[in-house]
Amino acid sequence: MLKTIKKIKKYQPVEIIWQDAHFTTGWMREEEIDWKYQDEALIHRTIGYFLKETRYLVGVAQSIRSNYEMVGEVMKIPKKCILEIKVIKYAKNN
């Protein structure tokens, strides 16, 4: 579980690696439950612009207007689900 974020600036591009939940719908007997689902299938990678950290969430935006006045497609990921956050660094053009 991620406890706190250090040194990530607002609007900095990040990759968040996080674990999701999985559920099966409908009525069934317990012995019919598919327990073979792979743990790796529950791990997701989200890339976005870091917005904010709250006590329980980390927020990233998929899009930002060039003047930084508006953001779009905001995703809020529970901190308890986050395994790792990587800052994305751009290569400098020559």
Side-chain angles (χ1 to χ4, degrees):
M1 175 179 99
L2 185 71
K3 295 195 188 251
T4 186
I5 297 172
K6 297 177 183 174
K7 299 181 181 179
I8 299 179
K9 297 177 183 175
K10 190 171 185 176
Y11 304 126
Q12 201 165 12
V14 293
E15 176 185 24
I16 300 176
I17 301 166
W18 58 284
Q19 187 169 17
D20 202 354
H22 179 265
F23 68 96
T24 304
T25 60
W27 289 95
M28 66 190 72
R29 289 185 208 90
E30 189 173 341
E31 58 270 9
E32 295 175 309
I33 298 172
D34 180 9
W35 293 105
K36 297 175 188 167
Y37 199 83
Q38 299 296 319
D39 290 340
E40 297 83 28
L42 300 176
I43 305 298
H44 303 287
R45 296 175 179 267
T46 296
I47 294 177
Y49 296 95
F50 178 81
L51 293 178
K52 184 176 182 174
E53 170 191 15
T54 70
R55 183 175 176 188
Y56 299 106
L57 301 170
V58 171
V60 294
Q62 301 300 307
S63 303
I64 297 178
R65 285 232 176 130
S66 60
N67 60 8
Y68 295 94
E69 290 182 9
M70 297 183 82
V71 296
E73 296 75 45
V74 175
M75 183 173 197
K76 294 169 255 173
I77 303 171
K79 288 171 78 174
K80 288 187 176 188
C81 295
I82 296 175
L83 303 173
E84 184 178 359
I85 297 180
K86 299 177 182 179
V87 173
I88 297 173
K89 297 182 181 180
Y90 294 105
K92 294 182 180 180
N93 294 334
N94 292 332

